[in-house]
Amino acid sequence: MLNEVAYKTWKFFEDNITLENNYLVCDNFQADRKEKTVNRTSSTNIGLEMISIISAYDMKFIDFKKAKDYLKNIFNTIKMLSKWNGHLYNWYTINTLEPLKPRYISTVDSGNFVRIHVYS
């Protein structure tokens, strides 16, 4: 059962880490009355998607080349994001990569990103 839940969780990331999304996973997906994706992301979400890729590889859902390609694409996108003194802003629009207003740095989200980035 846990493997099935893990695989379904990975499928969410796999379905959403695409070129059309600049390889950034959306902040949330709503499936209540109609499916709706919110096209924004945060540094925490970026870190979480990197961990999901590493976990998918560890669980043999994807091979090493696929994991490497995903991570390379994400790092290339991160390089293109506007930053303040090297720090990612808290929210970005996935499609345009523009920081959302008001622009601010979150110590919590930045800390999550750095922690995940270091361990990956």
Side-chain angles (χ1 to χ4, degrees):
M1 182 186 111
L2 289 177
N3 282 338
E4 183 179 337
V5 170
Y7 184 73
K8 286 180 180 180
T9 302
W10 164 245
K11 286 302 290 175
F12 168 81
F13 286 94
E14 185 175 51
D15 292 345
N16 288 283
I17 303 173
T18 63
L19 174 61
E20 295 78 30
N21 290 344
N22 289 301
Y23 303 102
L24 299 176
V25 71
C26 61
D27 181 61
N28 64 67
F29 170 79
Q30 301 168 9
D32 290 351
R33 292 179 217 126
K34 62 181 182 177
E35 291 187 3
K36 180 182 178 189
T37 301
V38 178
N39 289 321
R40 68 174 178 243
T41 198
S42 70
S43 47
T44 291
N45 294 337
I46 296 168
L48 183 60
E49 74 180 295
M50 290 190 297
I51 286 292
S52 76
I53 293 163
I54 294 164
S55 297
Y57 169 73
D58 287 344
M59 297 188 78
K60 301 189 182 355
F61 298 154
I62 58 175
D63 62 21
F64 179 77
K65 181 184 180 328
K66 186 79 166 174
K68 185 178 84 167
D69 289 345
Y70 274 125
L71 292 169
K72 181 177 135 190
N73 289 329
I74 293 167
F75 283 118
N76 286 338
T77 298
I78 291 169
K79 289 178 192 175
M80 294 187 302
L81 295 174
S82 299
K83 298 169 189 72
W84 179 80
N85 288 338
H87 295 278
L88 293 175
Y89 287 103
N90 199 60
W91 292 106
Y92 293 89
T93 302
I94 290 174
N95 308 66
T96 65
L97 301 180
E98 288 297 314
L100 293 174
K101 293 182 181 177
R103 293 179 180 190
Y104 65 94
I105 308 301
S106 165
T107 55
V108 171
D109 285 284
S110 292
N112 289 338
F113 174 74
V114 169
R115 188 170 342 160
I116 292 167
H117 182 69
V118 167
Y119 291 118
S120 60

